[in-house]
Amino acid sequence: MNFCSHCGAPVRFAIPLDDDRPRYLCDNCGTIHYQNPRIVAGSLPVVDDRVLLCRRAISPREGYWTLPAGFMENGETTPEAAIRETREEACAEIELGGLYTMVDLPHINQVYMIYLARLRNDLEPAFSAGPESLEVRLFREEDIPWSELAFSTITKTLEYYFRDRARFGRDALDVQHLALYPLHADVIRRW
Amino acid sequence: MNFCSHCGAPVRFAIPLDDDRPRYLCDNCGTIHYQNPRIVAGSLPVVDDRVLLCRRAISPREGYWTLPAGFMENGETTPEAAIRETREEACAEIELGGLYTMVDLPHINQVYMIYLARLRNDLEPAFSAGPESLEVRLFREEDIPWSELAFSTITKTLEYYFRDRARFGRDALDVQHLALYPLHADVIRRW
Ligand SMILES: [Zn+2]
Ligand SMILES: [Zn+2]
């Protein structure tokens, strides 16, 4: 940040009076420009014994596999953001279970929120690559490309899922069943 | 937003190519200025059969009672933000249980995340009003000032808590016990 978005004057980076950390300050109009972490909302879509992954068409980590997820937008709820991102990146419609992983990434000012989800149309699951994906596929646990996952948040979420699935069972994977799966809260301080 | 924070040129509000919603665009340097929801992190501090509330010294809702909570900062985790806000507003040290309520407020672009917490030093709980509070007090369920609560997120969180406490019991209120309490996810679309 170099200029005040309110009045256009140059800003300086300093600790305001009665504050304890530096902010971008505008001496011309008096605005203090706060900066806050962003939420990355997404889903872990499940169909029978498989999970849906997208291969990234964009940087960072182009060509690597990820869960559908992206920055939450103003005006939407966290579940709405997870559904929208899944629609955009995997052209897939999901039914959400509960919030499943919440991962703080303080070094990049992000909070991941991944919902467990059921892919709709189980008999003939419908999905395809959106503009930010090269490819979308369903993977059984034994086929997960662990060494080609894009982000540690995704690796953690999948590890939690297969561990919980072994514990809670994978039959009758409806939304009620998904509610058995607990929230996993985590912090990752470096990629 | 009137000016580009990167180059200082005026911005316009329009839908970028390959996007589906309007953003603040800088035609001079090409920056697209995204705006995203903010996280309000806080705690519900419990000591034996009482909960801690703060009476607000600042607007909005000056003079009304709230849980200690505020905007999460860059560089911190959500639990760290909840602990910091409790320290700042109630001069209290807490031990966190799990994430307890997560409330989406899409009309004001906020997501509330309230952690269940145990106030440290149970025998002689230590707390006092920070600069943004007029008063900090412990309340039994029957003394909660329901009509003088500052925000509907706070009312909901307290309602959930007293309902869960009736169900799970309030003895042995240690962090292990708090982990019994489930996450409540909610959406409030208007105050
Ligand atoms: Zn200014
Ligand atoms: Zn610019």
Side-chain angles (χ1 to χ4, degrees):
Chain A
M1 179 174 289
N2 304 307
F3 296 92
C4 175
S5 56
H6 184 67
C7 77
V11 291
R12 63 190 172 94
F13 193 63
I15 300 177
L17 220 65
D18 299 325
D19 205 337
D20 62 353
R21 63 193 76 201
R23 318 278 183 188
Y24 289 100
L25 306 176
C26 177
D27 292 323
N28 186 52
C29 75
T31 301
I32 301 172
H33 296 278
Y34 295 94
Q35 296 185 301
N36 304 89
R38 290 189 292 175
I39 292 172
V40 177
S43 77
L44 165 46
V46 173
V47 49
D48 59 68
D49 62 344
R50 294 169 295 170
V51 300
L52 179 146
L53 298 177
C54 306
R55 201 150 71 84
R56 291 174 63 81
I58 54 171
S59 83
R61 305 291 279 162
E62 185 181 338
Y64 286 78
W65 292 90
T66 189
L67 293 168
F71 289 116
M72 182 177 173
E73 300 270 10
N74 275 357
E76 67 186 359
T77 66
T78 318
E80 286 167 356
I83 289 170
R84 177 183 52 73
E85 288 290 343
T86 306
R87 188 176 290 140
E88 288 176 5
E89 300 187 356
C91 305
E93 296 300 324
I94 53 174
E95 186 176 13
L96 287 189
L99 179 62
Y100 185 57
T101 46
M102 171 179 160
V103 184
D104 277 293
L105 301 159
H107 57 297
I108 52 172
N109 307 314
Q110 293 180 4
V111 181
Y112 263 68
M113 310 250 228
I114 305 290
Y115 287 79
L116 213 46
R118 197 178 139 280
L119 200 58
R120 290 183 188 272
N121 306 106
D122 282 9
L123 289 181
E124 196 174 344
F127 55 83
S128 60
E132 298 185 357
S133 304
L134 295 171
E135 186 183 352
V136 177
R137 273 178 54 192
L138 296 176
F139 289 89
R140 292 198 166 76
E141 182 176 5
E142 55 270 30
D143 300 323
I144 297 284
W146 292 104
S147 63
E148 291 163 54
L149 295 178
F151 307 114
S152 52
T153 48
I154 305 305
T155 305
K156 272 210 179 281
T157 299
L158 291 172
E159 285 172 352
Y160 285 132
Y161 174 68
F162 291 116
R163 202 180 63 187
D164 285 343
R165 196 181 70 173
R167 183 171 163 207
F168 297 116
R170 69 193 187 194
D171 298 330
L173 198 63
D174 55 20
V175 163
Q176 298 245 302
H177 183 78
L178 291 183
L180 287 176
Y181 287 62
L183 171 68
H184 296 280
D186 229 313
V187 178
I188 296 176
R189 293 188 188 269
R190 287 290 170 269
W191 291 111
Chain B
M1 179 174 292
N2 304 307
F3 296 92
C4 176
S5 56
H6 185 66
C7 77
V11 290
R12 63 191 173 95
F13 193 62
I15 300 177
L17 219 65
D18 299 326
D19 204 339
D20 62 354
R21 64 193 74 201
R23 318 278 182 186
Y24 289 100
L25 306 176
C26 178
D27 292 322
N28 186 52
C29 75
T31 301
I32 301 171
H33 297 277
Y34 296 95
Q35 296 185 302
N36 303 89
R38 289 189 293 177
I39 292 172
V40 177
S43 76
L44 166 45
V46 173
V47 50
D48 58 68
D49 62 342
R50 294 169 295 171
V51 300
L52 179 147
L53 297 177
C54 306
R55 201 151 71 84
R56 292 173 63 82
I58 54 171
S59 83
R61 304 291 279 160
E62 185 180 339
Y64 286 77
W65 292 90
T66 189
L67 293 168
F71 289 115
M72 182 178 172
E73 300 270 9
N74 274 357
E76 68 186 358
T77 66
T78 318
E80 286 167 356
I83 289 170
R84 176 183 53 72
E85 289 290 343
T86 305
R87 189 176 291 142
E88 288 176 6
E89 299 186 358
C91 305
E93 296 299 323
I94 53 174
E95 186 176 13
L96 286 189
L99 179 63
Y100 185 56
T101 47
M102 170 177 160
V103 184
D104 277 293
L105 301 159
H107 58 297
I108 52 171
N109 307 314
Q110 294 180 3
V111 182
Y112 263 68
M113 311 252 230
I114 305 289
Y115 288 78
L116 213 46
R118 198 178 139 279
L119 200 58
R120 291 181 188 273
N121 305 105
D122 281 8
L123 289 181
E124 195 174 344
F127 55 84
S128 60
E132 298 186 357
S133 303
L134 295 170
E135 186 184 352
V136 178
R137 273 180 54 194
L138 295 177
F139 289 89
R140 291 198 168 77
E141 182 175 4
E142 56 270 31
D143 301 323
I144 297 284
W146 292 104
S147 64
E148 291 164 55
L149 295 178
F151 307 113
S152 52
T153 49
I154 306 305
T155 305
K156 271 211 178 280
T157 299
L158 291 172
E159 285 171 352
Y160 284 131
Y161 174 68
F162 291 116
R163 202 179 63 186
D164 284 342
R165 196 181 69 173
R167 183 170 163 207
F168 296 115
R170 69 192 186 196
D171 297 329
L173 198 62
D174 55 21
V175 164
Q176 297 246 302
H177 184 78
L178 291 182
L180 287 176
Y181 287 62
L183 170 68
H184 296 281
D186 229 313
V187 177
I188 296 175
R189 293 186 188 272
R190 288 290 169 271
W191 290 113

